Amino acid sequence: MTETTEQAKEGLWGREGFREDPYVTAESLEDAGDAAAVILPLAAWLALPEDVRFDTNRKIGVSIAPGEKIDPLLPSLDRIPLIALQFPAFNDGRSYSKAELLKSQHNFKGELRAVGDVLIDQVAYMLRTGFDTLKVAHAVTLSRLAAHNLHDAPVYYQPGRGSHTVPGAYSWRRIPGA
Amino acid sequence: MYRYDEFDHAFVSARVEQFKDQVERRLAGELTEEQFRPLRLMNGVYLQLHAYMLRVAIPYGTLSSRQMRKLAHIARHYDRGYGHFTTRQNLQYNWPALADMPKVLDELASVEMHALQTSGNCIRNVTADHFAGAAADEVADPRPYAEILRQWSSMHPEFSYLPRKFKIAVTGAERDRAAIQVHDIGLQLKKNEAGELGFAVYVGGGQGRTPMVAKKVRDFLPVEDLLTYTTAIVRVYNLNGRRDNKYKARIKILVHETGTEEIIRQIEAEWEAIRDTDLKMPQRDIDAIDEYFRAPNLAQRPEGWSKLASERKADPAFARWVDQNVTPHKNPDYGVVTISLKPIGGIPGDATDAQMDLVAEIAEKFSQDEIRVSHEQNLVLPHVAIADLRIVYDLLLTDGLATANAGLITDIIACPGLDYCALANARSIPVAQRISERFGSPERQSDIGELKIKISGCINACGHHHVGHIGILGVEKKGEELYQISLGGSGDEICTIGDITGRGFSSEEIVDAVETIVDRYLEIRADKEESFLATYRRLGAAPFKNALYGETANAA
């Protein structure tokens, strides 16, 4: 599982720009101390008693590794404030499909976060598959995001979030813009 | 043919601009080769043994004369005067300078072409029957669906980082000329009892080091469901395909390890959830794309038949070319012409700039401005009047393009091999050249009949050796190039993977070994009508192994 890295070198980014991260990433609730918002690995989250897991006094999010399934989360999606999908390597694309499933098919309303090796060329794809925020460690990505250079395409050949249809265009085509 | 609209133009030019910026940063040293690698691969730029290589996408192998002239121009100005047509209906330039790449991409964009998704772990250039829209045996033209898939798969946000590359092939006829069963997804257009159009869907075929014939996962998928169903398949693959081992990462391994029944269950479950979403295609969109591929209005040319009869009589070489390289067209006054890029002793798939220009000119005058690239590394003129065959032949003859060997033993597929490729273990091209020379006599070839030899220079099988009637695989053993032979492979509708005969042969021995196999075939075939493949299927490998290794070798 990802160790809590130095916050200074990372940034939390969403469509509106960089923002403060209220969450602490920890291996267990004990490790998190009295933090008000915590992200736990899936196994640690599953091991919590229900009343703690869905405690309304603190936010507990779940971190999912590429090899882990999202199925255990599905019955309680409306009570999970945040799901972090990991990208330990830029070329592992499983989390894109999970994002699409969570947002489109299972209607997850909480924060969907991408965590890990986020390259600038992937940011637009992440937003389009449903990620709300990106926890970015990559220096080039950080500077490009700061300059608001998303490397996005001017038009899309697929439906997806953050895009809209064009009257008269083929049904699968979209243009950017929420 | 499909024509770009503003949307497509905006998309491609934005990608070119982006790549320009990346190349500039690389040349300025701001990007290391390591950092540049994934970026250049997305634009079809490989680093090969001697130089960068650019792979240009030719969607479903269809080209206009204008596009072919541009390819010739690029070969002339940015390469060494030639290009190499590949088994994926693409074109590769082997010698362009990195600094020129953005200019080349600009040139390509000016004729609605690009090099996107010709590499990387994404959905690659979609291939189709090279006789599409012309073949007499076609149920429907597969290209509109290939075009829809091309669009939908371009820079797909969910499917650009798959476990491995992903290849889709579409055919519109029962007779499979697109080798769909050795693709990740193979689609065969067909009609159901109600006369509606749909697809038989095959999943999990492929070659490489673990060759597999695809499994049929659906007998009939209505055309409107093409994108939802494809999404379901690719999503199941993206989530569950293996990523621990590059060599086990293709969908064929997932299908094999999961089992066909279970994989079908997963695909169908995913499809149920999305079949009525935005990706379900309205008929009007299918019709609009279809319109681009509407069959040309071909003038009646009934004079061709009597003309042809006398032309044939006057010139046996022309008659042989017509018999071998012209295939029936939907319109009886027309034929489909295969232009062989396999001159005897030549490099399979190579064409010079002058040859490309010539083909462009002929296509413009005599084939409705249309050219196709076949996965067998030949070019095709899809709509030639029977009455014009002689003049087309004469023009082709002027630059060595009239070799009458389509489908014969010298119509060899070969990958670039160790002469160019960084992955290869052995040379492919020189072996192809020597086999071609050995069997070059027109009479001998014609007596042997249909026989597909396919040669790969390494286990990745770009030369499709697994589905060669005679397949040759180059391997490296103790510093020597060694060639393994397999027999009985076939990439058509009765798809089979060839069986390895036994120990390999040295570069010196390999041509003799092929000749031994061919001679044995000639001895044991039932009659001249029985092809090599049919004979192999009837008698199995034993007679050929005996011929190669002697009786004892076969005892075990």
Side-chain angles (χ1 to χ4, degrees):
Chain A
M1 296 293 101
T2 45
E3 199 61 36
T4 314
T5 46
E6 288 176 71
Q7 296 295 310
K9 287 185 183 168
E10 288 190 326
L12 182 67
W13 186 89
R15 281 188 194 271
E16 297 76 32
F18 286 98
R19 61 171 82 163
E20 282 300 309
D21 185 2
Y23 282 88
V24 169
T25 302
E27 289 299 307
S28 69
L29 220 44
E30 294 72 52
D31 289 353
D34 57 359
V38 187
I39 300 174
L40 295 179
L42 177 63
W45 182 82
L46 284 172
L48 294 176
E50 279 235 352
D51 58 323
V52 181
R53 204 190 291 165
F54 302 117
D55 183 357
T56 46
N57 292 320
R58 73 193 308 188
K59 290 179 168 177
I60 303 181
V62 197
S63 178
I64 306 283
E68 292 174 331
K69 296 203 178 306
I70 55 171
D71 300 16
L73 307 181
L74 299 182
S76 39
L77 277 185
D78 55 345
R79 290 189 287 170
I80 302 175
L82 176 143
I83 298 172
L85 299 178
Q86 296 169 24
F87 289 85
F90 81 93
N91 59 1
D92 190 329
R94 285 177 279 193
S95 292
Y96 294 105
S97 283
K98 288 179 196 166
E100 183 69 36
L101 287 172
L102 283 168
K103 286 282 179 165
S104 293
Q105 271 180 41
H106 303 296
N107 224 1
F108 176 59
K109 295 276 195 282
E111 178 182 339
L112 189 61
R113 182 182 288 198
V115 177
D117 190 7
V118 178
L119 297 185
I120 188 65
D121 304 85
Q122 300 179 295
V123 170
Y125 291 168
M126 289 175 175
L127 295 176
R128 290 171 61 196
T129 47
F131 286 99
D132 302 296
T133 54
L134 318 174
K135 184 86 170 182
V136 183
H138 199 270
V140 176
T141 308
L142 283 169
S143 65
R144 292 283 169 114
L145 285 175
H148 246 274
N149 181 356
L150 296 197
H151 280 230
D152 201 0
V155 293
Y156 304 148
Y157 285 104
Q158 309 82 15
R161 258 152 304 277
S163 67
H164 54 82
T165 54
V166 192
Y170 301 122
S171 57
W172 53 89
R173 290 183 172 187
R174 295 291 184 278
I175 56 170
Chain B
M1 275 184 62
Y2 184 71
R3 296 300 315 261
Y4 277 16
D5 54 23
E6 279 176 41
F7 190 97
D8 300 298
H9 278 297
F11 180 81
V12 171
S13 50
R15 301 303 302 189
V16 173
E17 286 311 309
Q18 208 170 85
F19 189 56
K20 261 185 204 169
D21 171 57
Q22 291 159 350
V23 170
E24 275 160 23
R25 283 188 283 146
R26 171 74 189 107
L27 292 171
E30 290 171 37
L31 286 175
T32 64
E33 177 54 35
E34 184 74 40
Q35 292 167 322
F36 183 53
R37 189 172 172 276
L39 306 175
R40 65 171 164 74
L41 284 177
M42 275 178 231
N43 290 282
V45 179
Y46 282 74
L47 187 56
Q48 285 295 28
L49 274 184
H50 313 290
Y52 282 105
M53 180 267 275
L54 178 67
R55 184 182 288 158
V56 177
I58 301 174
Y60 34 91
T62 294
L63 281 169
S64 67
S65 297
R66 181 165 160 259
Q67 291 172 320
M68 184 63 106
R69 284 203 177 93
K70 182 59 82 177
L71 296 178
H73 171 84
I74 293 169
R76 194 154 47 236
H77 292 280
Y78 302 97
D79 202 294
R80 297 183 178 176
Y82 66 96
H84 178 75
F85 290 97
T86 78
T87 54
R88 302 222 64 253
Q89 301 181 307
N90 291 325
L91 178 84
Q92 290 175 186
Y93 292 113
N94 286 310
W95 305 101
L98 181 58
D100 286 337
M101 292 290 185
K103 265 189 285 177
V104 174
L105 295 182
D106 260 340
E107 298 257 21
L108 288 171
S110 74
V111 294
E112 307 181 358
M113 296 184 80
H114 58 69
L116 297 171
Q117 293 183 209
T118 56
S119 59
N121 293 338
C122 55
I123 299 169
R124 301 286 189 90
N125 185 33
V126 179
T127 54
D129 183 351
H130 45 267
F131 292 165
D137 61 354
E138 187 172 88
V139 175
D141 191 333
R143 290 172 303 159
Y145 303 96
E147 171 59 25
I148 290 169
L149 286 166
R150 179 194 75 79
Q151 296 194 15
W152 162 82
S153 63
S154 290
M155 301 293 151
H156 197 294
E158 185 182 345
F159 302 139
S160 288
Y161 296 91
L162 297 171
R164 201 72 179 86
K165 58 189 168 185
F166 200 88
K167 300 173 182 176
I168 305 178
V170 199
T171 182
E174 190 78 35
R175 176 86 212 277
D176 180 8
R177 286 172 289 257
I180 65 167
Q181 292 182 53
V182 284
H183 282 76
D184 296 285
I185 294 180
L187 299 165
Q188 182 210 333
L189 273 169
K190 59 193 284 191
K191 283 191 172 150
N192 66 8
E193 281 165 9
E196 295 153 342
L197 205 53
F199 300 96
V201 183
Y202 294 83
V203 172
Q207 301 199 52
R209 67 184 63 207
T210 318
M212 290 194 187
V213 175
K215 307 289 187 292
K216 193 196 261 189
V217 295
R218 200 161 233 280
D219 190 56
F220 189 83
L221 178 77
V223 286
E224 64 189 15
D225 298 318
L226 174 64
L227 296 182
T228 51
Y229 200 79
T230 307
T231 298
I233 295 169
V234 185
R235 185 170 291 157
V236 166
Y237 169 57
N238 191 37
L239 284 167
N240 303 316
R242 286 181 61 173
R243 291 174 188 262
D244 58 324
N245 180 342
K246 178 179 170 185
Y247 302 116
K248 295 187 184 298
R250 295 287 290 271
I251 195 173
K252 64 190 173 190
I253 304 291
L254 178 69
V255 171
H256 180 72
E257 290 181 351
T258 311
T260 309
E261 242 172 78
E262 172 59 15
I263 207 87
I264 291 174
R265 193 197 63 74
Q266 292 176 9
I267 293 167
E268 293 281 326
E270 184 54 37
W271 185 49
E272 268 317 309
I274 60 171
R275 60 186 293 184
D276 289 315
T277 55
D278 285 353
L279 281 176
K280 182 169 184 163
M281 291 188 287
Q283 189 59 42
R284 62 161 200 284
D285 285 352
I286 299 174
D287 292 343
I289 298 284
D290 214 36
E291 183 64 21
Y292 282 109
F293 298 93
R294 201 180 39 178
N297 284 321
L298 298 173
Q300 290 201 4
R301 302 287 300 279
E303 79 279 14
W305 288 100
S306 61
K307 193 167 168 276
L308 181 66
S310 56
E311 286 164 350
R312 289 179 63 109
K313 214 185 249 173
D315 183 354
F318 171 69
R320 203 177 298 120
W321 179 79
V322 172
D323 289 341
Q324 211 54 53
N325 291 33
V326 182
T327 322
H329 192 282
K330 279 177 181 170
N331 183 321
D333 292 348
Y334 287 75
V336 183
V337 169
T338 296
I339 301 173
S340 170
L341 295 181
K342 321 289 175 62
I344 301 308
I347 297 176
D350 271 12
T352 65
D353 58 332
Q355 287 177 322
M356 289 187 235
D357 276 335
L358 177 62
V359 170
E361 186 195 327
I362 298 172
E364 200 168 53
K365 287 188 184 144
F366 302 105
S367 180
Q368 308 290 320
D369 210 23
E370 253 195 63
I371 303 150
R372 308 286 174 73
V373 182
S374 80
H375 80 275
E376 300 189 312
Q377 298 183 285
N378 290 317
L379 299 176
V380 171
L381 299 170
H383 312 290
V384 179
I386 301 291
D388 295 331
L389 285 175
R390 178 72 220 195
I391 185 165
V392 166
Y393 174 77
D394 287 339
L395 286 166
L396 291 172
L397 212 48
T398 62
D399 204 359
L401 289 170
T403 313
N405 63 351
L408 295 180
I409 189 167
T410 58
D411 185 4
I412 299 169
I413 290 185
C415 71
L418 198 51
D419 293 293
Y420 295 99
C421 180
L423 301 173
N425 299 121
R427 285 168 296 171
S428 313
I429 292 170
V431 172
Q433 289 173 308
R434 286 190 286 130
I435 293 173
S436 170
E437 275 158 8
R438 179 75 60 94
F439 293 96
S441 133
E443 292 74 23
R444 192 174 184 196
Q445 289 191 59
S446 144
D447 182 39
I448 296 165
E450 186 184 39
L451 207 173
K452 300 185 178 197
I453 296 185
K454 303 182 196 255
I455 309 172
S456 305
C458 81
I459 195 95
N460 291 313
C462 298
H464 295 182
H465 67 276
H466 294 299
V467 293
H469 300 168
I470 298 177
I472 299 174
L473 166 66
V475 294
E476 191 247 294
K477 242 184 191 154
K478 295 175 190 146
E480 297 282 316
E481 291 167 65
L482 206 63
Y483 296 88
Q484 217 169 54
I485 293 179
S486 55
L487 298 175
S490 173
D492 61 14
E493 62 280 5
I494 305 169
C495 186
T496 45
I497 303 298
D499 310 308
I500 296 168
T501 54
R503 69 165 177 83
F505 297 88
S506 72
S507 179
E508 287 71 43
E509 297 166 330
I510 183 66
V511 181
D512 289 339
V514 170
E515 191 166 38
T516 301
I517 292 164
V518 172
D519 286 346
R520 175 55 58 97
Y521 154 67
L522 295 175
E523 285 162 28
I524 62 176
R525 67 181 173 188
D527 53 49
K528 200 172 176 305
E529 302 309 309
E530 190 181 57
S531 69
F532 175 85
L533 188 61
T535 302
Y536 182 85
R537 284 178 175 166
R538 180 169 59 87
L539 296 172
F544 300 100
K545 285 191 186 178
N546 288 342
L548 284 173
Y549 306 111
E551 298 289 336
T552 48
N554 210 38

